[in-house]
């Protein structure tokens, strides 16, 4: 929305952004619709019933309307409840990406953004995505708290060290847009800017193909997996008994403490950095922590490799818990 080159409202390039704008404008109108009558009535009654030298006349009969009083309470309540339902729906949709969303990995660090596509294409302070296709950005931080903000999409996500967070969007308009960090992250926070580049699908595929990417993210993770000796415990011929990672991603995992969790990115990350936190039922907590041993970018590659093993497996979900023995004694008896 602009006039004579002056923008009165930031541009929106997704359906979610348009819905957020509609919510904000409607809520602003509701606040004015509720506040203006109260303000006018306050001034009018203050003038009409201002203090006089004669004192208040308490003998006047009271003329009230129960319908008016109940209506004045219930109507604003229902209106604000409707806005709560509307905004909760937007929040829920923002945290449920489509299963076929294209994934991009991002790392925030003082003072830049690093993005890496599954094919190994790497970008700094620039995120290139296709138009008309859902994109999920998996985020982590290497140092302090950052916050990725994409203004034309009206989405923002905090990026916290030790946590794996994500956001998703579907940009509809090709172009170059702003990308910001909205969390004060140090003396050069203002330099932590970048570009969101939205290309037509054919242009995006050509961009990926022209990129001298090197190994894919999963391939880099596989190499790291071997270099760190992970295969020595998690491989099929390992001498140490450890969970089979090939069946891990998005599977329910029974834990030693009796709970069951889904093996998402956060679980895999925690298992690498804090292996004694969620010990799989039936296994000994013998794995060392890799916190401080590997960088965030290497951690992202490892997680991508473990996820890729599940994708190659063609299994979608049911049974790390079923495959993993709950009791080593039972397994030995079976043998």
């Amino acid at each position: 929305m602009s006039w004579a080159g002056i923008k009165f409202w930031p541009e929106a390039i997704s359906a979610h952004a348009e819905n957020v704008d509609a919510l904000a404008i409607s809520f602003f109108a509701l606040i004015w619709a509720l506040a203006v009558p109260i303000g006018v009535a306050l001034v009018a009654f203050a003038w009409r019933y201002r203090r006089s030298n004669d004192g208040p006349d308490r003998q006047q009969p009271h003329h009230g309307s129960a319908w008016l009083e109940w209506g004045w309470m219930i109507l604003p309540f229902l209106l604000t409840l409707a806005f709560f339902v509307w905004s909760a729906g937007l929040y829920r949709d923002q945290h449920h990406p489509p299963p076929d969303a294209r994934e991009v990995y991002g790392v925030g660090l003082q003072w830049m953004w690093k993005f890496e596509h599954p094919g190994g294409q790497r970008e700094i302070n620039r995120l290139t995505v296709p138009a008309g296709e859902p994109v999920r950005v998996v985020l982590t931080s290497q140092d302090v708290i950052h916050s990725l903000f994409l203004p034309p999409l009206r989405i923002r996500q905090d990026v916290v060290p030790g946590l794996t967070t994500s956001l998703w969007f579907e940009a509809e308009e090709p172009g170059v847009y702003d990308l910001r960090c909205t969390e004060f992250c140090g003396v050069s926070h203002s330099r932590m800017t970048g570009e969101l580049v939205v290309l037509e699908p054919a242009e995006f595929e050509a961009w990926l193909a022209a990129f001298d990417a090197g190994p894919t993210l999963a391939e880099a993770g596989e190499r790291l997996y071997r270099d760190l000796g992970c295969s020595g415990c998690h491989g099929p011929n390992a001498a140490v008994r450890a969970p089979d990672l090939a069946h891990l991603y998005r599977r329910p995992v029974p834990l030693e403490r009796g709970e069951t969790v889904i093996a998402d990115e956060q679980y895999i990350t925690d298992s690498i950095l804090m292996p004694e936190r969620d010990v799989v039922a039936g296994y000994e907590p013998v794995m060392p922590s890799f916190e401080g041993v590997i960088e965030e970018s290497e951690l992202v590659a490892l997680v991508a490799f473990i996820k890729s093993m599940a994708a190659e497996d063609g299994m979608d979900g049911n049974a790390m818990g079923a495959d993993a023995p709950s009791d080593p004694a039972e397994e030995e008896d079976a043998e």
Side-chain angles (χ1 to χ4, degrees):
M1 184 183 302
S2 63
W3 179 78
I6 302 175
K7 289 185 178 180
F8 295 99
W9 197 265
E11 56 191 333
I13 61 169
S14 70
H16 174 79
E18 293 174 353
N19 287 331
V20 170
D21 288 352
L23 175 65
I25 293 171
S26 301
F27 193 71
F28 182 77
L30 173 67
I31 295 300
W32 274 94
L34 297 177
V36 169
I38 293 175
V40 171
L42 182 66
V43 174
F45 288 132
W47 173 258
R48 181 175 179 180
Y49 299 108
R50 67 189 183 280
R51 183 177 182 181
S52 67
N53 293 331
D54 299 334
D57 182 3
R58 301 188 184 280
Q59 303 303 317
Q60 288 287 338
H62 174 68
H63 301 286
S65 171
W67 286 106
L68 179 62
E69 293 179 9
W70 278 105
W72 179 245
M73 291 187 288
I74 293 175
L75 183 60
F77 171 74
L78 293 177
L79 287 173
T80 50
L81 184 63
F83 275 91
F84 169 76
V85 173
W86 186 359
S87 57
L90 289 177
Y91 181 84
R92 181 202 59 196
D93 293 343
Q94 190 55 40
H95 288 78
H96 290 80
D100 60 342
R102 178 186 294 272
E103 288 193 341
V104 181
Y105 296 86
V107 177
L109 65 158
Q110 293 176 321
W111 287 274
M112 67 176 69
W113 294 101
K114 291 182 177 179
F115 297 101
E116 184 161 356
H117 297 260
Q121 297 85 356
R122 298 174 178 84
E123 303 177 275
I124 292 180
N125 292 336
R126 179 186 174 100
L127 174 59
T128 305
V129 298
E133 181 178 336
V135 176
R136 178 173 179 254
V137 184
V138 181
L139 295 163
T140 188
S141 170
Q142 186 168 308
D143 38 44
V144 299
I145 299 176
H146 303 280
S147 186
L148 180 63
F149 179 43
L150 303 172
L153 297 166
R154 309 288 192 271
I155 53 175
R156 184 183 69 85
Q157 177 62 56
D158 285 347
V159 185
V160 183
L163 286 180
T164 301
T165 56
S166 66
L167 57 80
W168 80 275
F169 58 85
E170 183 172 338
E172 297 174 350
E173 297 293 333
V176 180
Y177 308 96
D178 290 335
L179 179 153
R180 297 279 185 267
C181 175
T182 52
E183 183 74 33
F184 181 72
C185 54
V187 293
S188 297
H189 162 71
S190 61
R191 291 167 45 196
M192 200 162 172
T193 61
E195 293 179 338
L196 170 67
V197 181
V198 183
L199 302 177
E200 293 287 357
E203 289 182 87
F204 179 75
E205 294 301 329
W207 176 81
L208 288 178
F211 216 102
D212 184 14
T216 66
L217 194 60
E219 289 171 347
E222 183 179 13
R223 184 172 57 196
L224 193 61
Y225 181 82
R226 290 196 302 268
D227 293 345
L228 292 173
C230 306
S231 56
C233 296
H234 294 282
N237 300 318
V240 177
R241 187 170 176 278
D244 180 9
L245 303 186
H247 304 280
L248 180 61
Y249 184 57
R250 287 185 176 173
R251 306 302 171 94
V253 181
L255 302 182
E256 193 66 37
R257 60 175 181 268
E259 299 176 10
T260 299
V261 299
I262 299 298
D264 55 8
E265 289 104 344
Q266 185 63 56
Y267 170 79
I268 298 173
T269 299
D270 289 346
S271 297
I272 296 171
L273 300 181
M274 298 176 287
E276 295 187 359
R277 177 177 172 179
D278 296 322
V279 179
V280 179
Y283 293 91
E284 296 293 329
V286 296
M287 177 174 163
S289 171
F290 286 85
E291 187 170 13
V293 178
I294 57 176
E295 297 181 352
E296 287 296 330
S297 57
E298 294 174 323
L299 181 61
V300 167
L302 273 176
V303 173
F305 170 61
I306 294 172
K307 290 171 61 179
S308 72
M309 287 195 288
E312 291 171 359
D313 215 30
M315 301 173 71
D316 57 4
N318 299 319
M320 169 78 181
D323 293 339
S326 57
D327 187 349
E330 292 179 3
E331 189 183 43
E332 292 173 1
D333 292 339
E335 292 173 352

